């Protein structure tokens, strides 16, 4: 659960949101307090200014310490101003000291306050000191003659208001955080859901059930692309499985038929006493079937080796023209039998490869060209070098391959027409083996065909640096 | 009994045909789907042994097209033994199937059963009066004594017994007893009938002059 993407997303989201909200809250709280304090200080400053100017006006500010001016007849503060410091609920208070600490004037209500001298000798600059003291804000002005004017007020109410603002901010913060986390959870849940669907479908896909696909309509976000890619993978998987199943079925069919021949032939031969000739004929039938099975098994094993990526090629320097000429000569009797002209245009091309396997490819291509030809037709073999490749092409004037079958001819057990194959002993694996051999040599094999006109198979093999060296040496 | 064996592997075709001939069947052969369809629609076989994988026209198509005109029992030979393949075969109108590789004895037994069922005779031993015809052992007994019959004589008895109380025409006898390799003269049937009567009694087979023969029991 902790490791799940959804929960990690959610947690990260919550942490970021908390940090943002807290920073924001602290800043707002601080700014709010600054504004309040500025307000309070402005009030205190104005009051202190009034008191100072009043002192000057009434010449109460002593120039020296020798005499305390007498209280005059004029009240120190005008009526409307003095009300500021009167009454039970007055928040403001003041006290004025002379330089030496004598009290010149004070408000009626005054908390305990000690005189502290802030006078600096010979300084022409007035001094202003602001301070907090026991829930109060006080400002002390020191005039250049040394008179200290202290104005203060209680800030209990302001502190309470600030605290209330703090609580409000916190409440808003929590609300936004909750909303953010819930909303984020909903959104991440919603965006994660297709992943869960996909993983469920992927989990359900097995060898027995490969047809399920992810509904791409449902996932219109970035996940749609992922779903598309997954579906394509499933398609490939399904076709690979199908191909495998078909291959297994074909292979078992091909093996069962000769096995059926052997079993039934033996049963027939043993059912009653037979003449020697009959036994020989029976054994010959069994031998034919066994040979067919052996060649089929050899082919299957060869393909399996190529499939496993360990073709076990026995590579060495060779001349493809020799390989081609040998194959042509070997198959000439077969061609002559059907009055097929076997033409060759072979130029020497040194190459490094597996002589036996490449010979097998040549034999396969040639025997196919003869087998699927009309009597009296032609087969042309050409070996030449085109740039960095050896090109071996075998073309016939035979029955050709229908366009629809052409992409399948390299598939295992694929036969365009099964009529001829069985009697001729073809297994349907020849071209598949050719393709595997050619690809193991780094080349490729292609086919083009026109029905009733003929087929051309071309093998392209890249000439490696090794072959070049060999050709220079020879 | 005349059967058609369709199989594209020449050795297997030869072995199956030889086995069935040993059993007294008249056997025709076909190596591809088109030939099989032609023969199966032209002749009245007692059964067809049909391979699935055939050149030109596969076994399924042969079966389907043959079923449009004939009700001949069909035994399918297949190398594919998945349930799907068997169901497909039976649904397509096959009467039975044998999976390759098969034992010849099983093929023979299934073929016998198929022919009996098609003729409406479920039992393997059919009794007519004091004559017992054992279609498995290909034996005929009269009372407790074994009656020695030649293969053709037995085949003729079996044909008449399977169609007992029905008229069997001479043409039917030719069609079912002799395959395409036989070159028999028409009067041979009369020779066989007379030989059977000698062995099983005159009244065993009744002659409908100008029409054919019938076992009335």
């Amino acid at each position: 659960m902790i490791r799940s993407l959804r929960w990690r997303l959610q947690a990260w989201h919550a942490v970021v949101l908390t940090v943002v909200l807290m920073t924001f809250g602290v800043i707002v709280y601080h700014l709010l307090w600054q504004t309040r304090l500025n307000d309070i200080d402005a009030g205190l400053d104005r009051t202190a200014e009034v008191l100072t100017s009043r002192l000057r006006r009434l010449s109460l500010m002593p120039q020296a310490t020798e005499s305390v001016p007498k209280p005059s007849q004029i009240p120190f503060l005008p009526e409307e101003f003095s009300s500021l410091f009167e009454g039970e609920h007055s928040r403001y208070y003041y006290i004025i000291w002379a330089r030496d600490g004598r009290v010149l004037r004070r408000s009626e209500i005054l908390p305990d306050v000690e005189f502290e001298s802030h006078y600096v000798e010979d300084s022409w600059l007035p001094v202003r000191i602001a301070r907090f003291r026991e829930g109060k804000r006080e400002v002390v002005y020191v005039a250049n003659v040394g008179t200290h004017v202290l104005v203060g007020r209680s800030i209990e109410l302001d502190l309470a208001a600030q605290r209330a603002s703090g609580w409000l901010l916190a409440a808003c913060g929590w609300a936004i955080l909750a909303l953010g986390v819930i909303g984020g959870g909903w959104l991440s849940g919603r965006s994660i859901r297709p992943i869960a669907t996909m993983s469920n479908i992927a989990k359900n896909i097995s060898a027995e059930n490969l047809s399920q696909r992810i509904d791409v309509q449902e996932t219109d976000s970035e996940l749609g692309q992922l779903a598309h890619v997954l579906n394509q993978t499933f398609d490939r998987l399904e076709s690979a499985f199908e191909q495998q199943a078909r291959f297994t079925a074909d292979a078992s069919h091909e093996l069962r038929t000769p096995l059926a021949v052997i079993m039934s032939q033996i049963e027939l031969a043993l059912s009653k006493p037979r003449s020697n000739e009959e036994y020989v004929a029976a054994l010959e039938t069994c031998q034919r079937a066994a040979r067919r099975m052996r060649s089929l098994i050899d082919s299957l094993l060869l393909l399996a080796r190529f499939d496993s990526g360990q073709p076990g090629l026995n590579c060495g320097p060779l001349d493809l023209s020799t390989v081609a000429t040998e194959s042509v000569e070997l198959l000439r009797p077969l061609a002559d039998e059907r009055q097929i002209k076997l033409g060759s245009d072979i130029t020497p091309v040194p190459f490094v490869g597996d002589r036996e396997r490449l010979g097998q490819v040549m034999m396969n291509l040639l025997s196919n060209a003869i087998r699927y030809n009309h009597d009296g037709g032609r087969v042309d073999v050409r070996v030449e070098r085109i740039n960095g490749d050896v090109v071996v092409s075998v073309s016939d004037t035979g029955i050709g391959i229908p366009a629809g079958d052409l992409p399948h001819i390299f598939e295992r057990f694929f036969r365009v027409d099964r009529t001829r194959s069985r009697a001729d002993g073809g297994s349907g694996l020849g071209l598949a083996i050719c393709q595997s051999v050619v690809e193991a040599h780094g080349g490729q094999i292609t086919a083009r065909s026109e029905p009733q006109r003929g087929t051309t198979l071309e093998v392209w093999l890249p000439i490696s640096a090794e072959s070049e060296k060999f050709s220079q040496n020879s | 009994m005349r059967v058609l064996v369709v199989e594209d592997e020449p050795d297997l075709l030869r072995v199956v045909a030889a086995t069935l001939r040993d059993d007294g069947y008249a056997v025709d052969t076909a190596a591809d789907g088109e030939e099989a369809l032609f023969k199966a629609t032209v002749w009245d076989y007692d059964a067809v042994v049909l391979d699935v994988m055939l050149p030109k026209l596969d076994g399924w198509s042969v079966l389907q097209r043959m079923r449009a005109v004939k009700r001949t029992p069909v035994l399918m030979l297949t190398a594919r033994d998945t349930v799907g393949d068997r169901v497909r075969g039976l649904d397509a109108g096959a009467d039975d199937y044998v999976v390759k590789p098969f034992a010849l004895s099983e093929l023979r037994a299934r073929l016998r059963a198929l022919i009996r069922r098609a003729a409406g005779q479920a039992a393997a031993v059919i009794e007519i009066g004091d004559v017992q015809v054992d279609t498995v052992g290909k034996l005929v007994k009269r009372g407790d004594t074994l009656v020695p019959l030649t293969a053709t004589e037995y085949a003729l008895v079996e044909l008449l017994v399977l169609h007992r109380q029905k008229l069997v025409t001479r043409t039917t006898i030719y069609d079912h007893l002799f395959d395409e390799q036989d070159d028999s003269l028409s009067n041979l049937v009369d020779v066989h009938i007379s030989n059977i009567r000698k062995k099983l009694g005159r009244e065993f087979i009744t002659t409908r002059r100008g029409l054919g023969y019938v076992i009335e029991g």
Side-chain angles (χ1 to χ4, degrees), chain A residues 3-42:
Chain A
R3 294 222 147 264
S4 97
L5 193 62
R6 183 184 170 181
W7 289 105
R8 276 192 285 179
L9 254 178
Q10 187 87 316
W12 178 239
H13 186 188
V15 166
V16 168
L17 198 59
T18 311
V19 168
V20 167
L21 284 172
M22 273 173 72
T23 314
F24 184 71
V26 166
I27 289 170
V28 168
Y29 186 81
H30 189 69
L31 284 176
L32 211 57
W33 178 237
Q34 279 301 322
T35 315
R36 271 181 216 282
L37 200 60
N38 283 344
D39 258 7
I40 294 165
D41 283 0

Side-chain angles (χ1 to χ4, degrees), chain B:
Chain B
M1 299 295 109
R2 186 169 176 179
V3 295
L4 174 66
V5 179
V6 189
E7 167 62 57
D8 65 331
E9 162 62 50
D11 281 331
L12 192 58
L13 178 63
R14 200 174 42 71
V15 170
V16 172
T19 307
L20 296 181
R21 282 200 186 102
D22 276 0
D23 276 359
Y25 292 102
V27 180
D28 288 359
T29 58
D32 66 61
E34 282 175 9
E35 191 188 352
L37 184 64
F38 173 75
K39 287 186 174 169
T41 46
V42 166
W43 297 101
D44 277 326
Y45 290 105
D46 293 287
V48 176
V49 178
L50 183 62
D51 187 22
V52 173
M53 304 272 263
L54 291 172
K56 294 187 185 170
L57 199 61
D58 68 27
W60 310 119
S61 314
V62 173
L63 183 60
Q64 206 180 1
R65 294 196 204 173
M66 193 189 97
R67 276 282 172 265
V69 283
K70 291 276 183 195
R71 293 182 55 194
T72 318
V74 171
L75 178 71
M76 298 292 278
L77 287 185
T78 169
R80 305 185 175 225
D81 58 351
T82 63
V83 175
D85 286 319
R86 298 184 205 180
V87 168
R88 184 178 170 193
L90 294 175
D91 279 350
D95 298 271
D96 204 351
Y97 60 88
V98 173
V99 178
K100 283 183 196 172
F102 48 81
L104 282 175
S105 48
E106 186 188 353
L107 178 74
R108 288 157 61 206
R110 286 184 184 271
L111 200 59
R112 280 196 300 272
L114 212 57
I115 293 168
R116 277 203 310 274
R117 279 204 302 273
Q121 300 284 349
V125 180
I126 302 159
E127 287 184 44
I128 294 156
D130 61 345
V131 177
Q132 291 179 356
V133 180
D134 178 356
T135 58
V136 177
K138 310 249 176 225
L139 303 170
V140 177
K141 281 184 187 169
R142 190 174 188 187
D144 285 335
T145 47
L146 201 63
V147 181
L149 291 178
T150 66
T152 314
E153 283 164 8
Y154 171 79
L156 185 48
V157 169
E158 193 183 272
L159 178 69
L160 292 171
V161 164
L162 286 177
H163 298 94
R164 64 198 279 192
Q165 292 163 351
K166 281 179 213 143
L167 179 76
V168 178
T169 63
R170 279 166 165 276
T171 325
T172 310
I173 292 171
Y174 289 129
D175 281 355
H176 287 262
L177 250 52
F178 307 108
D179 58 39
E180 52 204 358
Q181 291 174 359
D182 277 314
D183 190 15
S184 315
L185 298 167
S186 62
N187 63 354
L188 277 180
V189 174
D190 301 325
V191 174
H192 293 310
I193 293 283
S194 108
N195 285 340
I196 292 166
R197 279 183 174 144
K198 273 182 208 152
K199 293 172 182 175
L200 296 173
R202 276 216 73 75
E203 67 289 353
F204 186 67
I205 299 170
T206 314
T207 307
R208 296 280 168 81
R209 201 145 300 281
L211 295 172
Y213 304 94
V214 65
I215 288 179
E216 285 176 329

Side-chain angles (χ1 to χ4, degrees), chain A residues 152-167:
Chain A
R153 61 170 280 202
S154 152
I155 51 168
E156 301 281 353
L157 288 174
D158 301 274
L159 285 172
Q162 182 67 20
R163 272 196 297 276
S165 310
W167 284 119

Side-chain angles (χ1 to χ4, degrees), chain A residues 285-304:
Chain A
T285 304
C286 290
Q287 192 182 34
R288 269 199 301 279
R291 276 187 184 144
R292 226 181 87 199
M293 284 178 83
R294 192 187 63 184
S295 96
L296 191 65
I297 289 165
D298 284 348
S299 301
L300 288 173
L301 280 177
L302 186 65
L303 281 171

Side-chain angles (χ1 to χ4, degrees), chain A residues 275-287:
Chain A
S275 70
N276 263 347
E277 289 74 28
E278 280 176 308
Y279 283 129
V280 169
L283 286 173
E284 277 171 355
T285 304
C286 290
Q287 192 182 34

